[in-house]
């Protein structure tokens, strides 16, 4: 059955390469190629409407100079196998959108068991328990396997899907849109995804998340205007941002618990 479904292919994605194309006005992009490796985090930064979604679509569809940007996507330094475009079982990109709403009348346990069984997992119970454990490390308020998925908050839903993607999804690339608005522990979420050997592409406006990434891609006028590798100095700045963020998170928790805030 696994062979029939195309799940026996063990070929993984070690490197994703983006070859330069053009911006909205036809000007060449300001880079030659961008190589992204397994377990690497790339942040994507740019104004609304600048072309972030087009870049992500090019990656998802393994563009071969056949999109408006004329970009070309390589997998492991080669033209990609057609399975990344046409197979329903070999999806290159798992997308985690900003708003995730469930419509199925299932419990968390039933939902996870369905996914695990569809992936031909041998020990469904163990995998289900692992996913709920990791999801509760990310969520602001814990939930259990008996909780209806339609009763989950936005943050809980996002936490569940991030854990599910890290542990069960076969997609080697994960795309996250504005994780700072998810109501979850974003750093732990990124650590979980990277530990699962995923390539993580993260659209963000948060300077802390932008500097956590190995590189950041700057999008302007529909094209990649610049690729910046995070510098040692920026990593030092990140430490200060982390301290500020820790204070903000603590104050947010105090407010939620009905406490009176004191000065910083």
């Amino acid at each position: 059955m696994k062979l029939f479904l195309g799940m026996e292919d063990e070929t993984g994605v070690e490197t994703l390469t983006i070859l330069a194309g053009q911006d909205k006005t036809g000007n060449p992009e300001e880079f030659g190629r961008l190589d992204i490796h397994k377990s690497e985090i790339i942040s994507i930064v740019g104004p609304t409407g600048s072309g972030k979604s087009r870049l992500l679509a090019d990656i998802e569809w393994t563009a071969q100079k056949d999109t408006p940007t004329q970009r070309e996507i390589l997998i492991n330094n080669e033209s990609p196998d057609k399975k990344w475009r046409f197979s329903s079982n070999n999806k290159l990109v798992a997308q985690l959108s900003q708003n995730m709403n469930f419509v199925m009348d299932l419990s968390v346990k039933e939902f996870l068991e369905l996914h695990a069984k569809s992936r031909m997992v041998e020990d469904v119970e163990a995998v289900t328990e692992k996913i709920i454990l990791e999801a509760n490390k990310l969520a602001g308020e814990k939930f259990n396997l008996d909780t209806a998925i339609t009763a989950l908050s936005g943050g809980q839903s996002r936490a569940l899907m991030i854990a599910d993607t890290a542990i069960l999804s076969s997609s080697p690339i994960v795309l996250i849109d504005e994780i700072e608005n998810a109501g979850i522990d974003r750093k732990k979420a990124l650590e979980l995804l990277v530990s699962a050997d995923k390539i993580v592409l993260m659209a963000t406006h948060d300077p802390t998340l932008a500097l956590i990434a190995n590189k950041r891609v700057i999008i302007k006028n529909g094209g990649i205007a610049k690729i910046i590798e995070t510098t040692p100095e920026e990593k030092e700045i990140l430490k200060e941002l982390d301290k500020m963020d820790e204070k903000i998170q603590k104050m947010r928790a105090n407010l939620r618990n009905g406490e009176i805030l004191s000065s910083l």
Side-chain angles (χ1 to χ4, degrees):
M1 180 59 75
K2 286 187 177 182
L3 183 61
F4 174 75
L5 293 174
M7 294 167 59
E8 287 290 344
D9 186 1
E10 296 297 328
T11 303
V13 174
E14 297 292 331
T15 307
L16 166 71
T17 300
I18 304 171
L19 299 182
Q22 62 187 28
D23 64 15
K24 291 178 181 178
T25 51
N27 297 314
E29 291 183 300
E30 299 292 328
F31 76 107
R33 63 184 284 157
L34 171 61
D35 293 314
I36 308 172
H37 303 281
K38 184 168 63 175
S39 297
E40 193 170 8
I41 301 173
I42 302 294
S43 61
I44 302 170
V45 182
T48 300
S50 60
K52 296 189 293 295
S53 295
R54 180 68 263 172
L55 171 60
L56 301 172
D58 285 349
I59 294 170
E60 183 175 13
W61 289 98
T62 57
Q64 296 295 292
K65 297 183 179 180
D66 53 1
T67 67
T69 64
Q70 293 293 301
R71 294 186 185 114
E72 184 176 357
I73 304 298
L74 305 180
I75 302 297
N76 298 335
N77 293 310
E78 296 179 350
S79 295
D81 191 296
K82 290 183 179 180
K83 71 180 181 181
W84 298 121
R85 274 192 170 182
F86 304 117
S87 171
S88 61
N89 297 297
N90 291 287
K91 293 296 185 182
L92 184 67
V93 175
Q95 294 203 38
L96 298 169
S97 63
Q98 187 173 348
N99 298 308
M100 308 200 74
N101 298 308
F102 293 103
V103 295
M104 294 181 291
D105 186 20
L106 297 173
S107 67
V108 170
K109 181 179 180 180
E110 290 169 331
F111 171 76
L112 293 176
E113 285 179 344
L114 278 175
H115 190 193
K117 289 175 181 176
S118 74
R119 298 302 309 166
M120 302 288 184
V121 170
E122 293 183 4
D123 193 341
V124 173
E125 184 177 354
V127 168
T128 299
E129 291 287 348
K130 183 177 181 181
I131 292 173
I132 192 71
L133 176 65
E134 294 297 336
N136 275 322
K137 291 179 182 178
L138 308 179
E141 185 172 347
K142 297 185 185 301
F143 56 99
N144 56 51
L145 289 171
D146 295 326
T147 304
I149 57 175
T150 52
L152 296 175
S153 68
Q156 289 172 328
S157 298
R158 198 79 172 270
L160 177 63
M161 292 312 300
I162 287 174
D164 179 87
T165 297
I167 295 167
L168 267 183
S169 175
S170 62
S171 300
I173 298 169
V174 178
L175 165 64
I176 308 177
D177 180 29
E178 297 188 17
I179 195 174
E180 60 265 32
N181 297 327
I184 61 171
D185 190 318
R186 56 210 186 184
K187 292 180 184 177
K188 286 183 180 178
L190 293 174
E191 289 170 1
L192 177 61
L193 290 166
V194 169
S195 70
D197 292 334
K198 307 284 188 183
I199 291 172
V200 180
L201 292 138
M202 172 178 56
T204 184
H205 299 290
D206 188 317
T208 300
L209 294 177
L211 295 184
I212 285 175
N214 306 91
K215 299 183 182 75
R216 59 188 182 272
V217 174
I218 314 301
I219 306 290
K220 293 181 180 179
N221 192 35
I224 296 177
K226 191 182 294 186
I227 300 170
I228 302 173
E229 187 165 351
T230 306
T231 67
E233 182 180 1
E234 287 179 325
K235 288 297 184 185
E236 290 301 314
I237 293 173
L238 178 59
K239 293 178 182 178
E240 295 302 314
L241 291 174
D242 282 338
K243 292 177 183 177
M244 295 168 61
D245 186 60
E246 186 178 344
K247 290 181 180 179
I248 292 172
Q249 295 300 330
K250 184 176 181 180
M251 294 176 74
R252 180 175 294 145
N254 289 343
L255 283 171
R256 287 172 174 169
N257 291 328
E259 298 178 19
I260 302 298
L261 298 184
S262 58
S263 59
L264 292 175

